[in-house]
Amino acid sequence: MEHIEFRKISKSYGAVEVVPPLDLSIHQGEFIVLVGPSGCGKTTTLRMLAGLEETTSGQILIDGNDVTNKRPGERNCAMVFQNYALYPHMSVRENIGYAMKVHGTPKDEIDKHVDEAAELLGLSDYLERKPRNLSGGQRQRVAIGRAFVRQPQVFLFDEPLSNLDAKLRVEMRSEIKLLQRRLNTTAVYVTHDQVEAMTMADRVVVMRSGVIEQVDAPITLYERPVNRFVASFIGSPSMNFFDARIEAGVLMIGDQRMQLAAKDADRIGDYGNVVFGIRPEHCREAETASHLTFDVEVIEPLGSNTLLLGKIGGQKIMTQVDPRFIAEAGALATVPIDMQAAHFFNPTTEERI
Amino acid sequence: MNDRVKHIFIWPAFLLVLVITLFPLIYALTVSFQTVRIVPPTPARFVGFDNYADILANARFWGAIATTATIVIISVLAQYAIGLSVALALHHNVPGASLFRVTFLLPMFLAPVCVALIAKMIFHPVLGPANEFFSMFGLENLPFLTDPNFAIAVLIAIETWQWTPFVVLLMLAGLQNLPAEVFEAARVDNISAWRRFRDITFPMLLPLSAAVIFIRLIEGFKIIDTVFILTGGGPGTSTETLTLFAYNEGFKKFNIGMTSALSFLFLIVVIVFGTLYLAGARKLTQRYAQ
Ligand SMILES: Nc1ncnc2c1ncn2[C@@H]1O[C@H](COP(=O)(O)OP(=O)(O)O)[C@@H](O)[C@H]1O
Ligand SMILES: [Mg+2]
């Protein structure tokens, strides 16, 4: 059964429509990540679900109940904010137990839950500290603990890891995911970081200017992006795009010719003008490999592989090659292209072909 | 850093402070141990602690302390309670908030003398609007300014009316500086508006509240102009505040030594009240320290 349903919800500030009518269904126990560039309306959407922002139109259902006009407190959600939003004058223990205390839970039961959560999040030694004496990572753990002890129907996260350093972010990512699995609570998670989205989500919602571009499992987004925007947003380093032409099963970029994979040749063998997309990591040998030659401008050795940056007739290209690949900045290089992993987009609609 | 040049910068400032603030204080302290009369002029004579002893033995002094403390403590509490409520209302944008934002602040900009003159008209026992208002309930010609209790109540009301806006202004600034997400987190966690105020807003504003109340206490103790104009300290000396008492000593009896001694006693009274207050406030703010 659908646990959360957005039915044509929209949000306008004055005359500016930030989120045009939007539909989305989220299953029970699912980890959904809203991802998109800054300012695309992810936070606004999440806050409408939390009840912190009124919807301009449409309906929100949680567990089949219309909560559109309910107060935030009546929706049984728990939220984790980017800047922690801890109660600064309360100790860690009080922060985590505060909601339970207000709602009349007996003291020994609160203590039990708080100790349990602290144990799980590695906060046991800090229970009597005030938030200002904690590091950023510890503060966010407290905020997460505060959300988890409430055992809500839905977890809401608004960029909870954005204020943490890269290493901590990777650690916390899996911690949050594990906790959510354990409790099997539906979670809606907002981030602008596609890596975070890909690693944590059961399904990713890619947004642009308030519009949902694609909702799919991470691997599907990577393998079958529905349009050029999703293709460029998902994956790192991001996909290369070239203006090209397909005629008689052959792809032409400038005067270079590449044989289409059999499945594509049958399907779009005479399509005409296209945008050809290839991920840097798919510039590799394969059964159906073609070759592409370009001017190398920069070489970036990363250890496990090397990035070559360059140009083909004014169009930028980045390829990921073996560290032993021989190339020289300022000279030509020829790399293999795995045509099975090629993507094609309509040049005007930018939709996937 | 051990440059000699630094002396060039430090000494002028130090001397200026010395001349402007310390010298008058020290001079006043010396005078307070002497008998000095301006009218008729008599040569200064050292009398030790006589001036202080005289004042401390004077019931009028203790009366003035009681009067001042009553007016200040009650009016500051009222200013804070009303001021915080109004600030909360403005912060949460109750209907008409933008209009009130300006009008609420006006009393603060009036000179206390004007306020007192206006109040004198309003509380006129026969002609004033206050009289007309109470007449509607059958209470005619109340002795607003001629009965000691009424007069003190009127003074408290005026102090409150004039200085609540100050509290509103500062508390509103404080409220608007509180992090919004903290309250959103509480709302999502189904914490009622009252509990949010009691457990979050109020404790987070405590340091500011303590400072605002402190400023108003210290300022309040200097109350003179409104009293001077409205009641002149009367009836009898029942509404005489400390500063008015000092003024009467200095400018009616022209006993400067006595007045200086009184000023220092006044300082001591303020310090005592201030210290007591700060000790209490510290206890409270430490409990909720961040
Ligand atoms: N209170 C507001 N008034 C007007 N515009 C707003 C307000 N809040 C957000 N916006 C606009 O809505 C858009 C989406 O914001 P937001 O949901 O915060 O984006 P995201 O979280 O995806 O970065 C932005 O363009 C932002 O400028
Ligand atoms: Mg955001």
Side-chain angles (χ1 to χ4, degrees):
Chain A
M1 182 188 141
E2 302 302 354
H3 192 203
I4 300 171
E5 257 184 275
F6 291 122
R7 290 192 184 155
K8 297 249 170 303
I9 58 155
S10 73
K11 177 74 191 176
S12 303
Y13 290 108
V16 185
E17 193 171 58
V18 177
V19 179
L22 171 151
D23 284 296
L24 181 65
S25 297
I26 300 171
H27 315 307
Q28 169 68 48
E30 197 174 24
F31 200 111
I32 279 276
V33 176
L34 304 185
V35 70
S38 272
C40 73
K42 309 176 296 282
T43 299
T44 308
T45 308
L46 191 76
R47 288 170 58 88
M48 285 194 282
L49 176 55
L52 293 171
E53 211 77 67
E54 282 178 23
T55 54
T56 306
S57 67
Q59 277 182 312
I60 300 176
L61 279 73
I62 298 181
D63 228 3
N65 302 314
D66 187 345
V67 298
T68 319
N69 296 313
K70 291 233 170 104
R71 287 186 294 109
E74 294 171 326
R75 302 185 181 201
N76 199 9
C77 300
M79 185 153 171
V80 178
F81 295 79
Q82 177 172 354
N83 44 15
Y84 325 125
L86 298 177
Y87 308 123
H89 55 288
M90 296 187 196
S91 67
V92 170
R93 177 181 290 286
E94 290 166 330
N95 259 288
I96 298 179
Y98 176 60
M100 278 190 280
K101 184 176 139 201
V102 172
H103 299 137
T105 314
K107 184 159 183 336
D108 44 343
E109 198 172 320
I110 298 178
D111 283 342
K112 200 185 95 205
H113 279 106
V114 172
D115 288 334
E116 221 173 73
E119 178 77 22
L120 209 60
L121 289 158
L123 290 169
S124 302
D125 295 340
Y126 311 108
L127 278 173
E128 306 312 324
R129 282 204 201 168
K130 296 277 168 76
R132 59 176 246 152
N133 298 323
L134 298 176
S135 70
Q138 290 164 340
R139 284 183 212 180
Q140 199 54 288
R141 281 202 174 84
V142 177
I144 291 168
R146 187 174 67 179
F148 276 67
V149 288
R150 283 196 44 225
Q151 307 195 326
Q153 281 199 66
V154 183
F155 289 128
L156 307 174
F157 298 90
D158 190 359
E159 312 229 7
L161 307 183
S162 295
N163 286 2
L164 308 183
D165 63 58
K167 185 165 168 291
L168 205 54
R169 227 165 20 220
V170 175
E171 275 175 38
M172 296 281 288
R173 203 154 83 185
S174 48
E175 271 182 46
I176 292 178
K177 181 79 185 153
L178 275 173
L179 279 170
Q180 188 264 348
R181 274 272 148 282
R182 262 176 66 132
L183 297 167
N184 196 29
T185 306
T186 311
V188 184
Y189 187 107
V190 161
T191 179
H192 65 268
D193 178 354
Q194 57 94 16
V195 178
E196 226 167 271
M198 298 287 279
T199 48
M200 298 178 84
D202 294 325
R203 280 193 305 154
V204 179
V205 179
V206 183
M207 293 179 72
R208 172 169 60 165
S209 320
V211 177
I212 294 182
E213 297 283 335
Q214 188 170 3
V215 184
D216 261 315
I219 195 66
T220 316
L221 283 185
Y222 179 80
E223 289 178 346
R224 295 190 59 82
V226 295
N227 57 30
R228 182 172 167 168
F229 172 78
V230 176
S232 69
F233 193 79
I234 299 294
S236 161
S238 61
M239 191 186 281
N240 298 294
F241 297 99
F242 306 99
D243 293 326
R245 202 174 158 72
I246 299 179
E247 267 170 33
V250 174
L251 177 77
M252 292 175 291
I253 303 174
D255 52 5
Q256 301 197 48
R257 301 169 68 84
M258 297 155 81
Q259 189 65 44
L260 288 191
K263 59 165 177 128
D264 291 328
D266 293 347
R267 207 159 51 85
I268 52 172
D270 286 298
Y271 196 87
N273 288 338
V274 295
V275 171
F276 165 59
I278 188 76
R279 296 189 185 278
E281 60 270 32
H282 292 150
C283 300
R284 62 180 179 201
E285 283 298 349
E287 265 175 56
T288 53
S290 288
H291 290 83
L292 199 55
T293 305
F294 65 99
D295 295 311
V296 180
E297 290 175 339
V298 180
I299 300 176
E300 293 183 351
L302 298 177
S304 62
N305 50 53
T306 297
L307 296 181
L308 303 182
L309 285 73
K311 286 221 174 93
I312 300 181
Q315 307 190 63
K316 276 193 194 162
I317 178 170
M318 178 194 281
T319 66
Q320 184 176 311
V321 295
D322 191 89
R324 281 168 309 238
F325 187 90
I326 296 164
E328 202 181 319
L332 289 175
T334 299
V335 292
I337 302 288
D338 181 355
M339 291 306 283
Q340 292 279 7
H343 305 262
F344 302 96
F345 304 96
N346 183 303
T348 45
T349 63
E350 305 203 328
E351 298 293 317
R352 178 184 193 81
I353 303 169
Chain B
M1 288 316 283
N2 238 341
D3 222 319
R4 283 199 197 141
V5 178
K6 70 185 176 192
H7 294 284
I8 299 176
F9 293 100
I10 293 170
W11 282 103
F14 180 72
L15 288 176
L16 203 68
V17 170
L18 199 73
V19 170
I20 293 179
T21 65
L22 289 182
F23 171 74
L25 270 180
I26 293 165
Y27 178 71
L29 190 62
T30 335
V31 171
S32 75
F33 294 109
Q34 300 172 334
T35 306
V36 187
R37 278 186 180 280
I38 311 179
V39 185
T42 35
R45 188 165 53 85
F46 181 77
V47 294
F49 281 95
D50 279 6
N51 285 332
Y52 290 92
D54 280 357
I55 296 168
L56 291 177
N58 188 347
R60 213 172 136 185
F61 171 71
W62 296 107
I65 289 187
T67 307
T68 316
T70 312
I71 295 175
V72 170
I73 291 173
I74 298 180
S75 80
V76 169
L77 285 179
Q79 285 162 40
Y80 180 72
I82 301 171
L84 180 57
S85 315
V86 173
L88 279 169
L90 290 180
H91 182 59
H92 290 106
N93 283 315
V94 292
S98 48
L99 173 70
F100 285 122
R101 229 173 259 265
V102 181
T103 48
F104 268 132
L105 299 182
L106 285 178
M108 200 171 84
F109 299 125
L110 290 174
V113 178
C114 306
V115 174
L117 286 171
I118 297 168
K120 197 157 184 161
M121 309 295 289
I122 292 177
F123 290 105
H124 192 284
V126 183
L127 306 171
N131 179 52
E132 283 180 21
F133 176 76
F134 283 105
S135 298
M136 291 195 302
F137 305 99
L139 301 164
E140 276 169 47
N141 299 347
L142 291 175
F144 291 116
L145 302 174
T146 42
D147 174 273
N149 290 332
F150 270 103
I152 292 216
V154 166
L155 287 171
I156 289 172
I158 293 170
E159 275 287 289
T160 308
W161 182 79
Q162 180 159 34
W163 293 113
T164 300
F166 173 80
V167 179
V168 173
L169 199 65
L170 289 183
M171 296 317 287
L172 187 58
L175 279 169
Q176 287 173 342
N177 267 330
L178 295 182
E181 293 83 6
V182 172
F183 295 92
E184 291 179 342
R187 276 169 65 204
V188 172
D189 284 353
N190 201 13
I191 311 294
S192 66
W194 160 243
R195 288 302 293 255
R196 287 202 298 272
F197 173 76
R198 200 194 84 173
D199 298 341
I200 306 171
T201 315
F202 189 70
M204 283 174 83
L205 283 178
L206 259 184
L208 177 66
S209 301
V212 168
I213 291 177
F214 186 69
I215 295 171
R216 283 312 313 148
L217 275 182
I218 301 298
E219 283 288 306
F221 264 94
K222 299 183 200 158
I223 179 174
I224 177 162
D225 7 27
T226 38
V227 191
F228 184 80
I229 289 177
L230 274 175
T231 66
T237 58
S238 58
T239 60
E240 191 173 59
T241 59
L242 275 171
T243 34
L244 188 58
F245 178 42
Y247 172 84
N248 286 338
E249 279 295 308
F251 292 93
K252 290 194 176 151
K253 298 186 183 163
F254 295 102
N255 186 345
I256 299 301
M258 190 70 103
T259 312
S260 291
L262 192 50
S263 306
F264 277 95
L265 285 174
F266 176 63
L267 187 65
I268 291 170
V269 169
V270 171
I271 289 174
V272 166
F273 272 94
T275 312
L276 284 177
Y277 166 78
L278 283 182
R282 176 158 312 135
K283 236 187 190 156
L284 202 61
T285 42
Q286 250 163 13
R287 175 137 49 101
Y288 292 109
Q290 308 199 346

